[in-house]
């Protein structure tokens, strides 16, 4: 158990819908990262927050947005969903914001768009 | 920009045999290197990391990796694998500029009895 929790574990929805994925980092970790894992794109970095502020952005679509709240939990919002958004979404946390900090991964949320 | 190439998508091996999973990276800045393992239906777990210093790093479960700057490689090795090592293995880099991880495509290690 990494100490990072993600809810829900599974999510099935229809095209055009909007969903929210939730992540609680390990106690004491200030950085939260979101990654998408799909068969065709592999594991891709989406976005990083550190202590409530956006720190880095990857290949995140404009239909996707995220935020980190004062209690440090984070939410990833996916809207106008398309079939291609079906993937495993991971949250990871680390104590700092630098590259040498180990990232601890949650179990993921499996999103299926029908 | 950084990129990671894992040279083998699948590696089948017999139990108690040695294994090497290959990883090459490209970066214009100094990097930190990581190997993660993903068991079926689970998240990623860190096996080992190279930050600086000794180029041979030891990790959990008997794995080790060697950083080779001239060849821009970070190959993962284990002298004797077990059935329980069957999983997908990801090589990743981050840089001194920030924490995001850039992953390779993964290598599926299949250990057969």
């Amino acid at each position: 158990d990494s100490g990072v929790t993600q809810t829900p574990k599974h999510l099935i929805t229809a095209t055009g819908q909007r969903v929210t994925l939730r992540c609680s980092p390990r106690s004491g970790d200030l950085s939260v990262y979101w990654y998408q894992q799909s068969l065709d794109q592999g594991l891709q970095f989406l976005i990083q927050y550190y202590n409530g502020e956006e720190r880095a952005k990857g290949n995140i679509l404009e239909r996707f947005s995220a935020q980190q709240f004062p209690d440090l939990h984070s939410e990833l919002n996916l809207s106008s969903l398309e079939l291609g958004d079906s993937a495993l979404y991971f949250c990871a946390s680390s104590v700092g914001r630098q590259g040498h900090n180990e990232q601890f991964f949650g179990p993921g949320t499996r999103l299926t768009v029908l | 920009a950084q990129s990671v190439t894992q040279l083998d998508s699948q590696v089948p091996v017999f139990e108690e045999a040695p294994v090497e999973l290959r990883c090459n990276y490209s970066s214009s800045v100094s990097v930190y290197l990581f190997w993660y393992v993903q068991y079926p239906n689970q998240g990623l777990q860190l096996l080992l990391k190279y930050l600086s210093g000794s180029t041979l790093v030891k990790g959990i479960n008997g794995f080790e990796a060697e950083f080779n700057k001239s060849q821009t490689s970070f190959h993962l090795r284990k002298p004797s694998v077990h059935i329980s090592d069957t999983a997908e293995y990801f090589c990743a880099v981050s840089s001194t500029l920030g924490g995001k991880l850039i992953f390779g495509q993964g290598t599926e290690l299949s250990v057969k009895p």
Side-chain angles (χ1 to χ4, degrees), chain A residues 8-105:
Chain A
K9 198 173 175 67
H10 300 278
L11 200 47
I12 302 174
T13 188
T15 54
Q17 295 299 305
R18 172 189 168 94
V19 297
T20 297
L21 313 183
R22 183 188 168 101
C23 167
S24 293
R26 288 188 329 153
S27 177
D29 284 357
L30 298 179
S31 260
V32 168
Y33 303 80
W34 286 97
Y35 295 88
Q36 179 194 58
Q37 184 178 32
S38 63
L39 282 174
D40 51 347
Q41 300 286 334
L43 260 167
Q44 286 207 19
F45 166 74
L46 294 179
I47 197 163
Q48 176 197 5
Y49 280 83
Y50 177 78
N51 205 19
E53 293 189 5
E54 183 183 302
R55 291 294 302 178
K57 244 177 177 176
N59 296 326
I60 187 166
L61 300 170
E62 284 192 14
R63 300 183 285 109
F64 295 3
S65 65
Q67 54 184 325
Q68 187 179 29
F69 294 87
D71 67 352
L72 301 176
H73 91 272
S74 178
E75 292 180 358
L76 179 67
N77 300 295
L78 316 177
S79 62
S80 302
L81 285 167
E82 302 175 0
L83 296 177
D85 297 328
S86 294
L88 196 49
Y89 291 85
F90 286 111
C91 166
S93 73
S94 66
V95 62
R97 59 190 179 194
Q98 301 301 325
H100 63 272
N101 295 129
E102 178 178 348
Q103 293 183 30
F104 295 85
F105 282 76

Side-chain angles (χ1 to χ4, degrees), chain A residues 9 33 35 37 39-43 45 48 57 88 90 97-103 105-107 110, chain B residues 32 34 36 38 41-44 46 49 51 88 90 94-105:
Chain A
K9 198 173 175 67
Y33 303 80
Y35 295 88
Q37 184 178 32
L39 282 174
D40 51 347
Q41 300 286 334
L43 260 167
F45 166 74
Q48 176 197 5
K57 244 177 177 176
L88 196 49
F90 286 111
R97 59 190 179 194
Q98 301 301 325
H100 63 272
N101 295 129
E102 178 178 348
Q103 293 183 30
F105 282 76
R110 184 170 295 281
Chain B
Y32 305 113
F34 305 82
Y36 281 86
Q38 184 179 27
N41 300 314
Q42 292 187 30
L44 283 79
L46 183 68
K49 60 186 176 185
L51 303 182
E88 186 133 25
F90 291 93
S94 65
S95 79
T96 52
L97 299 179
K100 70 177 183 183
L101 288 170
I102 305 298
F103 287 91
Q105 286 295 100

Side-chain angles (χ1 to χ4, degrees), chain B residues 25-65:
Chain B
Y25 69 92
S26 171
S27 177
S28 56
V29 298
S30 295
V31 296
Y32 305 113
L33 293 154
F34 305 82
W35 275 99
Y36 281 86
V37 61
Q38 184 179 27
Y39 298 103
N41 300 314
Q42 292 187 30
L44 283 79
Q45 180 185 7
L46 183 68
L47 277 177
L48 48 78
K49 60 186 176 185
Y50 172 78
L51 303 182
S52 66
S54 172
T55 57
L56 182 64
V57 291
K58 293 189 184 297
I60 62 171
N61 301 341
F63 283 94
E64 62 180 34

